[in-house]
Amino acid sequence: MGWTETENLRLDDAQKQGNATEIWNILGGRGWSVNAVAAILGNMQVESSINPNVWEGYKVRPEDTSLGFGLVQWTPANKIRSWLRSNGYAVSSGSGQCHRLYLEMEEGLAGQYFINKNKLYPISRTAFIKSTEAPQKLASAFMYNYERPSAEAVRLSEADRRKYAGDWYLYLSGVQPEPDPDPQPPPPSPSQSAGIYRNWNIVMHSAKRLNGQNKRDWFR
């Protein structure tokens, strides 16, 4: 199916699967484990609907580059947009964003991935990309050590990230993952956050909860 890179589009299942396959082809082709890629896809589903051409809040905001952009919502947006242009990619390029991601994870570019200060999920970046631990556990490791949302955002989205990671493991491998080893991780304290989360996720959660929608749809 190939990449879907339509600006600020919430992808349907087939489009997510197409982009996930492209991501797996790139990262898996570099020797990353299916567990690690599934864990990252679980996070991407929350962050961007696995669409590389998404601005934070699903609105076109090139004038406010303090916001997030792309598959993992690099923040500020110019971190990824400037790098893509300087390396010959369009800013919407999923392949280009995967290139940036594997440099961050394999070579430590920009110091994006580091063990969170409270030592939750102390898995190094080089161990992460080869790990065969449960994809649900690795989803939390990527969330804490790479995405670094606020404690409140962790509370709202960690279970979804873990659940989606298991789903993507099944999709990529054809094998049902083992049950989540920690399906209800304890809520973090405010001190366990190392970054600033995208407030739009919390807004989406509040608005959609009033409409009675299932929690798993909050971040799609």
Side-chain angles (χ1 to χ4, degrees):
M1 181 175 177
W3 285 103
T4 299
E5 300 171 348
T6 307
E7 192 167 50
N8 292 324
L9 176 70
R10 297 181 189 278
L11 303 189
D12 61 28
D13 287 345
Q15 292 166 330
K16 289 175 190 167
Q17 289 168 0
N19 285 2
T21 299
E22 295 295 326
I23 293 166
W24 167 242
N25 288 341
I26 293 170
L27 301 182
R30 298 185 64 81
W32 292 32
S33 70
V34 65
N35 309 57
V37 176
I40 290 174
L41 287 169
N43 277 274
M44 286 179 176
Q45 183 162 341
V46 169
E47 296 286 336
S48 64
S49 184
I50 319 183
N51 184 345
N53 199 12
V54 164
W55 282 88
E56 183 176 325
Y58 291 86
K59 295 180 181 179
V60 180
R61 297 177 179 178
E63 75 288 350
D64 188 355
T65 54
S66 67
L67 299 173
F69 181 82
L71 288 168
V72 294
Q73 290 290 283
W74 282 272
T75 307
N78 270 351
K79 176 188 289 187
I80 185 64
R81 291 167 69 87
S82 296
W83 185 90
L84 288 165
R85 291 189 185 103
S86 67
N87 285 275
Y89 294 105
V91 295
S92 62
S93 171
S95 296
Q97 292 182 26
C98 286
H99 184 183
R100 168 76 185 211
L101 179 61
Y102 70 65
L103 290 179
E104 291 174 339
M105 296 298 291
E106 293 178 14
E107 300 181 12
L109 177 67
Q112 181 65 34
Y113 184 104
F114 56 86
I115 305 302
N116 63 91
K117 61 185 178 182
N118 285 322
K119 304 293 192 295
L120 294 167
Y121 301 96
I123 302 171
S124 72
R125 59 180 173 79
T126 52
F128 177 93
I129 64 178
K130 302 287 188 180
S131 180
T132 57
E133 293 199 64
Q136 302 95 329
K137 177 180 178 179
L138 294 177
S140 288
F142 192 79
M143 178 190 69
Y144 277 110
N145 300 331
Y146 182 98
E147 297 288 0
R148 298 187 296 281
S150 70
E152 176 65 4
V154 169
R155 185 183 69 80
L156 294 176
S157 72
E158 184 174 11
D160 288 320
R161 294 172 196 253
R162 293 174 72 107
K163 189 269 179 189
Y164 297 149
D167 293 345
W168 286 115
Y169 180 87
L170 174 60
Y171 176 76
L172 294 175
S173 70
V175 177
Q176 186 72 41
E178 294 296 320
D180 190 335
D182 190 8
Q184 293 184 313
S189 68
S191 65
Q192 289 172 343
S193 171
I196 299 173
Y197 194 73
R198 294 77 174 163
N199 290 332
W200 64 271
N201 276 336
I202 299 172
V203 172
M204 287 172 63
H205 152 63
S206 299
K208 290 189 175 182
R209 182 171 61 178
L210 292 175
N211 291 334
Q213 294 189 17
N214 186 285
K215 183 166 72 70
R216 290 176 182 169
D217 295 329
W218 291 349
F219 300 96
R220 291 183 177 175

